[in-house]
Amino acid sequence: MSNIGTERVKRGMAEMQKGGVIMDVVNAEQAKIAEEAGAVAVMALERVPSDIRAAGGVARMADPTITEEVLGAVSIPVMAKARIGHITEARVLEAMGVDYIDESEVLTPADDIYHINKSDYTVPFVCGCRNLGEAARRIGEGASMLRTKGEPGTGNIVEAVRHMRQVQSEIRMVSSMSRDEVMTYAKEIGAPFELLLQIREEGRLPVVNFAAGGIATPSDAALMMELGADGVFVGSGIFKSANPAKFAKAIVEATTHYQDYKLIAELSKDLGDAMKGLDMATIEAHDRMQDRSE
Amino acid sequence: MTTIGVLALQGAVREHIRSIHACGANAVEIKRKEQLEEIDGLILPGGESTTIRRLMDSYGIFTAIQDFADKGKPIFGTCAGLIIMAKSIVGQAEGHLGLIDMTVARNAFGRQVASFEAELDVAGIAEDFRAVFIRAPYVVEVGKNVEVLATYDEHIVAVRQGPFMATAFHPELTDDHRFISYFIDLTATTKS
């Protein structure tokens, strides 16, 4: 009579996160700071993306000791990252009881052709996307939540803005298409036809789409909400800032009250330095994490 | 016409608004305390209870909702909303709004992999209600003035105490609007 792991409970879990901030943490202490600041979930990692970028080499699923430490430290949901296509890392995380898996381009892909068939799992997945085709393919594979890829670990919002605008603009385009135009468009962007028809009917994606990859300030978070994000992920932005607890709280409040500009001005005062950040022009093509999968 | 507010600090606000509209009532997203004056009844949606509580503390909305409740205006909490309405919470020194005389346990059915759907018999509302439980709490015990509306696996998952209602599950996630409709009727009756 009762059913676990249904599409409704997997997608529903992400619906409950709407309007919230999900923060990257690398230990129990950071997880508690995030929870105290009002994060709706934490992402347990071995290193935040900017450190992964700096360290180079192959980035893998975190040591389970760290994930377990975070699982034990907070009462809010805990997410963790598996490499793209790494079925076993994902199964390990599921077995450990994490609440959501991010099949993430921040880690070095394990499979350069196929993503995980996420419908097979009881645990829900979030995946990155840069455009509607990519979003629709991930949903087709069973992702229950999406996020923009942005460019992780840069503290530069430009790529997340580009990806959010691109997805929104393609949704608007599909919504105004006649039914006979949808098949050709589905072919062009490599999206499942039936899913595009559903998006055309409803005028939105069937799962939530958060912003991620470059959010460093309260205004950045509010901007992404303004552009139609359902919530935000902040990776390096919090624990690479001068005052993580204060930054975290300010970003949480700015995400909720994203059109209250006087409030955002107040929240942004005396925060200390945001993470330093990278200009996209200084990043070599092979260092662009967003291009690691499609 | 009856106007229902949905506390829109964080969580599944859109789904409740859709449900209220489907029942033919007015729906308003509530972010500021002043907005409480425009509404007849309030829904506290699902989301993360710790996050919602932090945000309620920031701009006086917490005390404004307490005043709203003191006037006997109806409030309905789902999941995180149930936790926020409880008098006490297992493992925590104090509750939040304390509107319903009950003790609740957070994430009582387990982590997300244990989230489930089930059919419930809800007293006076529906015999076959499809309930969606997500990292759901349940009610450990209730005071004598609290009416138990539904149980699952011997755990209390829906309650009512006068104008206050709460469920451990998410009626807003399905197209079955009987629960929301019941709350709108309760609000309409209270108003008149």
Side-chain angles (χ1 to χ4, degrees):
Chain A
M1 174 155 133
S2 98
N3 297 302
I4 58 166
T6 61
E7 187 180 273
R8 198 143 57 189
V9 299
K10 293 202 285 185
R11 290 181 178 181
M13 158 75 196
E15 301 287 353
M16 297 308 140
Q17 303 265 295
K18 283 200 302 267
V21 182
I22 299 166
M23 302 181 190
D24 278 3
V25 300
V26 300
N27 56 39
E29 184 199 351
Q30 290 187 354
K32 283 179 179 153
I33 291 172
E35 183 176 46
E36 186 58 33
V40 288
V42 290
M43 176 79 71
L45 288 164
E46 199 154 318
R47 296 190 181 100
V48 295
S50 64
D51 287 339
I52 290 175
R53 193 176 281 287
V58 174
R60 310 178 178 90
M61 173 184 83
D63 180 335
T65 317
I66 294 173
T67 314
E68 275 177 4
E69 180 185 317
V70 173
L71 281 165
V74 291
S75 66
I76 56 177
V78 175
M79 301 188 173
K81 289 186 196 289
R83 280 180 271 177
I84 288 170
H86 207 308
I87 298 163
T88 305
E89 283 187 351
R91 286 294 183 196
V92 168
L93 293 172
E94 182 180 51
M96 289 170 66
V98 305
D99 296 294
Y100 235 94
I101 295 175
D102 185 1
E103 187 184 20
S104 177
E105 69 284 359
V106 168
L107 305 182
T108 312
D111 191 323
D112 61 356
I113 301 172
Y114 303 110
H115 278 71
I116 296 169
N117 181 33
K118 294 164 277 286
S119 309
D120 283 350
Y121 293 70
T122 304
V123 66
F125 282 75
V126 54
C127 285
C129 64
R130 293 166 298 179
N131 51 52
L132 187 60
E134 211 170 18
R137 286 192 292 281
R138 298 296 86 79
I139 296 168
E141 293 155 358
S144 308
M145 177 182 193
L146 295 168
R147 54 172 174 75
T148 59
K149 284 181 165 175
E151 187 55 37
T154 60
N156 188 336
I157 197 73
V158 67
E159 296 299 300
V161 166
R162 185 203 314 282
H163 300 159
M164 185 56 71
R165 280 196 179 272
Q166 180 67 28
V167 171
Q168 300 285 359
S169 139
E170 287 180 274
I171 291 171
R172 283 192 292 273
M173 207 150 72
V174 169
S175 301
S176 64
M177 278 180 186
S178 65
R179 199 182 154 95
D180 51 5
E181 290 170 317
V182 175
M183 181 60 86
T184 299
Y185 191 61
K187 182 192 73 179
E188 282 170 10
I189 67 170
F193 173 65
E194 297 296 334
L195 192 54
L196 281 194
L197 284 182
Q198 191 190 342
I199 291 167
R200 171 175 169 270
E201 280 308 303
E202 295 173 10
R204 63 179 190 88
L205 295 168
V207 301
V208 303
N209 188 18
F210 273 44
I215 293 155
T217 67
S219 294
D220 285 351
L223 169 63
M224 296 313 299
M225 295 300 287
E226 182 73 44
L227 293 175
D230 289 309
V232 299
F233 282 86
V234 187
S236 321
I238 288 171
F239 291 98
K240 287 290 166 187
S241 71
N243 189 342
K246 210 168 163 187
F247 250 88
K249 193 160 184 287
I251 289 178
V252 167
E253 292 190 11
T255 301
T256 293
H257 301 286
Y258 65 92
Q259 287 178 323
D260 189 336
Y261 309 113
K262 281 184 182 161
L263 174 70
I264 296 171
E266 286 303 311
L267 293 171
S268 306
K269 283 181 185 166
D270 302 322
L271 281 179
D273 288 337
M275 70 178 285
K276 185 155 181 281
L278 290 171
D279 186 330
M280 294 307 297
T282 65
I283 302 173
E284 300 281 349
H286 64 265
D287 288 328
R288 283 164 62 92
M289 290 173 175
Q290 60 176 284
D291 297 335
R292 284 171 159 178
S293 69
E294 50 186 37
Chain B
M1 196 194 263
T2 306
T3 301
I4 306 289
V6 181
L7 187 66
L9 298 177
Q10 191 274 315
V13 178
R14 181 167 73 206
E15 288 74 8
H16 273 296
I17 300 272
R18 184 190 62 112
S19 228
I20 295 163
H21 284 152
C23 295
N26 284 330
V28 184
E29 286 191 20
I30 306 291
K31 286 200 181 203
R32 292 297 204 173
K33 62 180 178 187
E34 303 79 45
Q35 294 174 293
L36 291 170
E37 287 160 24
E38 307 163 18
I39 60 170
D40 306 307
L42 175 68
I43 290 178
L44 307 177
E48 282 307 317
S49 61
T50 51
T51 304
I52 295 172
R53 176 59 204 266
R54 293 281 175 283
L55 290 163
M56 282 169 91
D57 279 345
S58 293
Y59 307 100
I61 202 154
F62 186 82
T63 45
I65 292 175
Q66 281 177 321
D67 293 344
F68 185 86
D70 285 345
K71 289 178 199 152
K73 295 200 175 183
I75 302 181
F76 176 27
T78 61
C79 195
L82 170 134
I83 295 166
I84 289 169
M85 290 175 79
K87 191 170 171 188
S88 58
I89 301 165
V90 173
Q92 295 187 15
E94 49 192 53
H96 303 297
L97 288 169
L99 301 178
I100 298 179
D101 186 10
M102 61 179 173
T103 302
V104 301
R106 295 178 60 204
N107 306 330
F109 290 101
R111 306 196 71 98
Q112 170 60 18
V113 288
S115 294
F116 64 98
E117 295 181 35
E119 298 253 309
L120 296 183
D121 183 351
V122 188
I125 298 178
E127 288 172 4
D128 54 348
F129 196 86
R130 190 79 184 159
V132 184
F133 292 84
I134 295 174
R135 286 172 48 92
Y138 61 64
V139 180
V140 180
E141 60 180 17
V142 293
K144 62 180 189 319
N145 294 324
V146 178
E147 184 187 356
V148 173
L149 300 178
T151 58
Y152 175 75
D153 208 10
E154 296 180 5
H155 300 300
I156 300 168
V157 293
V159 294
R160 179 178 164 187
Q161 182 176 0
F164 310 129
M165 286 170 57
T167 60
F169 51 90
H170 296 280
E172 74 280 13
L173 285 185
T174 69
D175 292 324
D176 186 341
H177 303 300
R178 286 177 288 180
F179 233 104
I180 308 288
S181 174
Y182 180 89
F183 178 68
I184 294 169
D185 290 345
L186 168 71
T187 305
T189 313
T190 311
K191 190 180 159 188
S192 61

